[in-house]
Amino acid sequence: MNDGDVTDDPVRDVVPVDGAVDGQSVGAPRRRLGLLLSIAVAVLTLDIVTKVLAVRLLVPGQPVSIIGDTVTWTLVRNSGAAFSMATGYTWVLTLVAMGVVVGIIWMGRRLVSPWWALGLGMILGGAMGNLVDRFFRSPGPLRGHVVDFLSIGWWPVFNVADPAVVGGAMLLVVLSVFGYDFDRIGRRAPDGSPDPVHTAAPDSADSA
């Protein structure tokens, strides 16, 4: 039974995500895959360019001073992970980096948070930068040594990709701790209930 604009039909009272609220159109949140890829390309380009310059301009074993002996340009070849860790596991690290790249691209399909796009883009660009070295530098594919060139104090020599990966990961940890998810705008509800307006809808392939 209708009484003006009031209805007892619960189905008709539900406002669809793509409908209108207070005369304004409400649609699904904007996806951020493009932003993620743009950040990744920027990090990757900077990493490759700086490594090429380091190889051309620096001589292994001959540091070039920037600030005394504390900050120097120091060319080294790293078979390990970021900041020269886990040396001797080059091919394992290569496979892990490839898995990270695939995982980030998969997450990007539902990514709506710009801050998550920033963090994931930094990680993706850094991982791809070091993967380029793993595949195309000596001693061979999957075993290539990464070019590092910046030394600061006691910290291990590193490149552009290393702080990008670590900084991106730290950003994602902070976002997760404070309740910001990659597939929604703003913080998650205290009770964990989903918000259909601010949460990315699953792709048709995922819901099939």
Side-chain angles (χ1 to χ4, degrees):
M1 180 179 66
N2 293 337
D3 185 10
D5 293 334
V6 179
T7 176
D8 294 330
D9 188 348
V11 176
R12 293 180 59 188
D13 287 340
V14 175
V15 178
V17 174
D18 293 329
V21 177
D22 295 335
Q24 296 182 353
S25 177
V26 178
R30 180 182 177 184
R31 302 297 175 93
R32 300 291 182 173
L33 180 59
L35 177 60
L36 184 157
L37 295 178
S38 298
I39 295 171
V41 169
V43 173
L44 174 61
T45 300
L46 182 60
D47 183 64
I48 291 176
V49 170
T50 52
K51 286 175 178 176
V52 170
L53 292 175
V55 171
R56 289 186 177 182
L57 301 178
L58 300 177
V59 178
Q62 298 183 15
V64 177
S65 175
I66 302 175
I67 304 177
D69 294 332
T70 304
V71 182
T72 63
W73 301 115
T74 304
L75 180 62
V76 299
R77 306 281 181 158
N78 173 25
S79 63
F83 303 110
S84 300
M85 296 183 293
T87 58
Y89 296 91
T90 307
W91 69 273
V92 175
L93 297 171
T94 302
L95 296 178
V96 170
M98 293 173 62
V100 169
V101 169
V102 172
I104 291 176
I105 294 176
W106 179 84
M107 290 179 63
R109 299 182 306 163
R110 297 188 59 197
L111 181 66
V112 297
S113 167
W115 290 107
W116 271 82
L118 174 61
L120 290 174
M122 292 171 62
I123 296 174
L124 179 60
M128 292 180 64
N130 285 338
L131 272 177
V132 170
D133 286 1
R134 300 295 187 197
F135 277 98
F136 298 106
R137 295 191 184 275
S138 61
L142 297 182
R143 298 177 294 112
H145 292 180
V146 173
V147 173
D148 291 332
F149 54 84
L150 183 59
S151 175
I152 300 179
W154 52 267
W155 198 259
V157 184
F158 59 94
N159 54 39
V160 171
D162 294 341
V165 171
V166 174
M170 292 175 62
L171 175 59
L172 299 190
V173 170
V174 172
L175 291 172
S176 298
V177 168
F178 285 94
Y180 292 90
D181 296 327
F182 75 97
D183 59 350
R184 63 178 294 114
I185 298 296
R187 302 178 67 175
R188 72 175 73 96
D191 59 355
S193 59
D195 184 347
V197 176
H198 296 91
T199 304
D203 294 336
S204 58
D206 296 336
S207 59

